[in-house]
Amino acid sequence: MSDIEADAAGLRAGLARSLTGDRPGEGSWRAAVATVPRHRFVPGFYLASGRVDGRGLPVWEPVTAELDHGRWLAAAYADTTLITQFDGDEADWKNPAARHGGAPTSSSTLPSLVVRMWSDADIEEGHSLLEIGTGTGYSTALACERLGSAAVTSVEVDGRRLEQAAGALYGLGYTPTLAVADGLYGYWPEAQFDRIVAACSFRAVPPVLPAQTRPGGKILLTLSGWLHGYARVLLTVAKDGTAEGPLLSGTVSFMPARTHAAPEFGNPAHWAAGLPGEGRSAKHSPERITAATEEAFHLRFLAQCAVPGAQMTTVGDVVHLADVVTGSAATLTPCEGGWVVREGGPVGLWDPVEAVLSSYDAADRPGPETFRLHVHHGGQHLRHPRMPPLSLPKP
């Protein structure tokens, strides 16, 4: 065994020991983590430098074995997400350069979250699995190690990402079915599946996924939206093709499916310029959905169900909402004792959010696990026994 493989084996064993979750089946997944060499799937990645450039953009440092072997190997076996691509641009890892700003579009998800996902999806030996979002291929390898390659299908929208993942997988003897495909449409050639798990997020459940799942099978998805609210849902598919299941607890976010990413909305000042001069006192502070708390994380998802086309940004101390679909806008400005809201356009943006916050308070602030998502032929509705139903946007 080479020095690098010996070092990696020790680090891998330590990583597996650190994954101490007690969900059913996690022991088998930890054994897979102890076996699969993660470093083979991440020849290069970016780590945050903690600096910003002259334009205020965060600087991301490239990390490869050639640049700093020790740092590369240690990070590969740290329980952290490793960013491998920004804005769909493939890096030249033989001549890597620092990255200034940008939106991450591919990564190797932190191993503890991969294990948590596979465990939450209730995957067992004998199940067939569709993974949406191959990425680097590391999570695919864990699934192959646990289920056997013949049981695993993985699709990736980026052909360059899939090519690299395929090389790593096949080089280690894993031979799952791989395809360049948009996860919005699942993968009909291998359907039906016992389990479908997505490593990206969707604004709503793609309708083909229940159709590609066996009755009694399960779908684990992360739902997201343009307010950057997230929720995970575990759906069980019925014989008639409908699906239902609870939201799961915790704060997990994934990159959006590329066709579900938020559009650019331009300069907030341009949107604010068309608003009426007079405003009203806001019933709720925007901090209820912007704070760095688990409750705000949950509330942001509920709020975006009410205003699915809205996006939010803060300039100075003013919170801006803009909806590129309807042309509506709103601002919230702090004042003595509260906030002043101004709204304009065909659709109110803050009024629906306030209605959700008020009904949430009246229901004694229920947690995510008390909500159930119903996916049926008439739409997708999030229901709670003490709150009005919320609709997800049409897929």
Side-chain angles (χ1 to χ4, degrees):
M1 181 183 292
S2 67
D3 290 343
I4 184 172
E5 295 302 331
D7 291 344
L11 291 169
R12 191 161 57 248
L15 174 61
R17 287 193 300 270
S18 74
L19 305 179
T20 57
D22 56 2
R23 293 177 180 83
E26 282 202 3
S28 297
W29 291 114
R30 284 196 294 273
V33 170
T35 302
V36 175
R38 191 187 189 201
H39 69 281
R40 297 280 291 272
F41 294 90
V42 285
F45 47 85
Y46 296 96
L47 293 179
S49 69
R51 308 189 311 274
V52 296
D53 64 14
R55 296 171 296 168
L57 298 175
V59 178
W60 295 82
E61 295 178 342
V63 180
T64 66
E66 290 73 21
L67 289 172
D68 188 331
H69 178 275
R71 186 186 188 196
W72 168 72
L73 197 60
Y77 289 102
D79 188 27
T80 189
T81 292
L82 304 174
I83 306 298
T84 55
Q85 186 191 75
F86 286 90
D87 298 325
D89 299 331
E90 200 67 28
D92 179 3
W93 292 116
K94 293 182 179 179
N95 298 286
R99 183 81 191 197
H100 293 244
T105 48
S106 190
S107 66
S108 176
T109 303
L110 66 161
S112 62
L113 178 53
V114 176
V115 168
R116 178 179 173 185
M117 288 169 55
W118 292 151
S119 300
D120 284 342
D122 193 23
I123 299 172
E124 298 178 356
E125 283 80 0
H127 283 161
S128 58
L129 168 69
L130 171 63
E131 176 191 40
I132 297 174
T134 312
T136 65
Y138 174 67
S139 58
T140 316
L142 294 178
C144 290
E145 183 67 30
R146 172 80 187 276
L147 303 176
S149 295
V152 179
T153 299
S154 186
V155 297
E156 169 62 49
V157 72
D158 187 328
R160 296 168 300 175
R161 292 278 84 211
L162 190 69
E163 182 178 5
Q164 180 175 310
L169 286 162
Y170 297 155
L172 291 167
Y174 299 117
T175 57
T177 298
L178 300 174
V180 177
D182 190 332
L184 287 172
Y185 306 102
Y187 195 63
W188 281 108
E190 298 291 319
Q192 290 179 320
F193 300 96
D194 294 301
R195 298 289 187 269
I196 296 179
V197 178
C200 60
S201 63
F202 297 100
R203 296 183 73 204
V205 179
V208 300
L209 298 188
Q212 292 182 18
T213 305
R214 290 193 178 95
K218 297 182 180 181
I219 303 170
L220 178 65
L221 295 179
T222 299
L223 300 171
S224 65
W226 296 349
L227 286 184
H228 300 295
Y230 295 86
R232 290 193 310 146
V233 62
L234 181 62
L235 299 167
T236 300
V237 178
K239 291 181 180 179
D240 62 0
T242 62
E244 179 184 344
L247 300 188
L248 303 182
S249 59
T251 55
V252 172
S253 60
F254 276 102
M255 300 170 194
R258 297 192 184 184
T259 49
H260 278 201
E264 298 293 339
F265 65 87
N267 188 336
H270 295 167
W271 290 86
L275 296 177
E278 294 296 323
R280 64 167 178 84
S281 296
K283 297 176 184 176
H284 294 279
S285 163
E287 294 168 326
R288 293 199 62 186
I289 62 172
T290 61
T293 65
E294 191 164 331
E295 182 181 54
F297 188 93
H298 171 47
L299 278 176
R300 194 155 57 248
F301 176 74
L302 300 182
Q304 79 187 8
C305 292
V307 286
Q311 297 181 64
M312 180 172 57
T313 189
T314 300
V315 180
D317 56 1
V318 179
V319 178
H320 294 256
L321 292 168
D323 185 338
V324 300
V325 178
T326 66
S328 303
T331 61
L332 291 110
T333 305
C335 64
E336 186 174 352
W339 294 76
V340 172
V341 58
R342 296 188 300 145
E343 296 184 282
V347 176
L349 297 184
W350 192 245
D351 286 343
V353 173
E354 287 189 326
V356 169
L357 295 175
S358 293
S359 62
Y360 171 80
D361 291 342
D364 295 328
R365 301 186 172 189
E369 63 281 353
T370 64
F371 290 81
R372 294 186 70 83
L373 180 64
H374 297 253
V375 179
H376 49 91
H377 304 303
Q380 302 184 18
H381 295 92
L382 188 64
R383 295 192 170 102
H384 185 276
R386 298 182 60 189
M387 288 181 62
L390 294 167
S391 298
L392 270 61
K394 292 183 178 181

